[in-house]
Amino acid sequence: MKLLIVAAILLGSTIPAGFAQEPPPAPPAPTPVSPPVLENTGKPVVVPFQCSLEDIQTAGLSCSEEDPCPIYLELTAVESIGSRILAAGNIHSSATTIYTMLLGSEDGGHTWREVAGRIRGAGLDRIQFLDPETGWASGETLSPITQDPFLLVTTDGGKTWRQRPVFGESRESRYGSIQQFFFTARDSGSLIVDRGKGSDGDRYELYESPNAGESWEVKETSNKPPRLKRTAVPSTEWRVRADARTQSFHVEHRQGAAWNTVTTFAVKLAPCKPPQ
């Protein structure tokens, strides 16, 4: 059949009816790139960061080859789910937040990797897990101002996350930050947004979610901070501690009356400068 089709093409004839030309093979699908594994060797772990020209322009940085901009890691929360440990925070310059950061370890802190994509101009500050599979991390855009609060939602124990805005899918930004949030069940969560001084209308807004944080509805507004029916109890087993002497953040686990360092993360990252 192939010889007949080729002959017809060479002779300028049409391909006989009933003979279909075979489509070209589809190109192979690109291989997904896994985040690098960060190994705890006893020295502070350095989170990889390579500043792009877009990062410099978006953050409004004035960086040069001769005078690069210092970049820092900040960790704000740590939580554990079974054998998995999660640490949340952000990457920032001396004046501007550049990206969120969410790190996870499945081997007690020996190795780490980023478990959620970085969100430009935003930071993460709280983590709650309801059960071994369902959890949330709260955050908001911090650059150039605090606005558009959101939650990262996981239903597979922190392996994958998806971003869900508190204010919905509106294209217009709104000022505000999440002061606290808490889920009593998958279908029952609440949070408080502080819209800041000078905001239009009442400063504080109480939101509730009936679907594990997939969407939120405002239930109450006030100029005084409302109270959640229940609030998250700070972890007594895990903490993040800044150590000025070593310029690192210590992820620590409590054992009895003592706090033991599980992993340390370097505060200073690779500086920003125009790419070559």
Side-chain angles (χ1 to χ4, degrees):
M1 181 176 68
K2 290 184 179 180
L3 292 176
L4 180 58
I5 294 173
V6 172
I9 294 173
L10 293 175
L11 293 174
S13 303
T14 59
I15 297 175
F19 291 93
Q21 187 174 1
E22 294 182 1
T31 302
V33 178
S34 299
V37 176
L38 310 178
E39 187 171 358
N40 176 14
T41 61
K43 298 180 179 179
V45 176
V46 179
V47 172
F49 178 72
Q50 184 173 0
C51 196
S52 69
L53 182 59
E54 186 178 3
D55 293 332
I56 295 174
Q57 294 173 342
T58 302
L61 301 176
S62 299
C63 311
S64 64
E65 184 71 29
E66 297 75 20
D67 188 20
C69 299
I71 300 297
Y72 309 97
L73 171 72
E74 179 181 7
L75 295 181
T76 57
V78 62
E79 189 58 87
S80 67
I81 322 95
S83 61
R84 185 174 294 119
I85 311 170
L86 293 166
N90 65 79
I91 294 172
H92 63 92
S93 70
S94 58
T96 306
T97 302
I98 301 176
Y99 286 107
T100 58
M101 176 59 56
L102 187 58
L103 296 160
S105 173
E106 298 191 15
D107 54 14
H110 180 66
T111 58
W112 295 78
R113 67 179 66 204
E114 291 185 53
V115 295
R118 298 175 184 179
I119 302 172
R120 187 186 297 277
L124 302 174
D125 44 33
R126 294 173 181 83
I127 305 172
Q128 181 200 349
F129 266 80
L130 181 68
D131 55 48
E133 299 299 319
T134 313
W136 304 267
S138 64
E140 45 271 327
T141 299
L142 299 172
S143 179
I145 56 177
T146 304
Q147 58 188 327
D148 300 336
F150 61 86
L151 272 83
L152 297 184
V153 182
T154 181
T155 53
D156 59 8
K159 296 178 182 178
T160 60
W161 299 77
R162 54 189 178 277
Q163 184 180 354
R164 291 295 180 263
V166 174
F167 296 150
E169 300 294 344
S170 173
R171 295 185 179 182
E172 295 184 2
S173 292
R174 290 182 61 195
Y175 305 145
S177 61
I178 297 174
Q179 295 302 292
Q180 53 182 311
F181 78 92
F182 189 71
F183 282 82
T184 57
R186 290 191 180 191
D187 58 354
S188 181
S190 56
L191 60 79
I192 297 172
V193 169
D194 180 357
R195 299 199 60 210
K197 295 180 179 180
S199 59
D200 296 334
D202 293 338
R203 175 171 177 174
Y204 298 98
E205 297 176 341
L206 173 64
Y207 285 80
E208 293 183 356
S209 173
N211 51 16
E214 296 293 333
S215 63
W216 295 87
E217 295 180 359
V218 62
K219 295 296 182 181
E220 178 186 337
T221 66
S222 172
N223 279 316
K224 295 182 178 180
R227 293 185 177 182
L228 299 182
K229 296 177 182 178
R230 289 181 59 185
T231 58
V233 178
S235 174
T236 59
E237 301 297 323
W238 292 89
R239 73 180 184 184
V240 174
R241 180 177 63 85
D243 186 349
R245 183 182 63 83
T246 60
Q247 295 187 335
S248 64
F249 283 97
H250 291 232
V251 174
E252 297 181 333
H253 185 219
R254 184 173 181 169
Q255 294 181 330
W259 288 95
N260 296 322
T261 297
V262 174
T263 311
T264 58
F265 289 91
V267 169
K268 291 185 177 181
L269 307 183
C272 258
K273 53 186 177 181
Q276 299 294 321

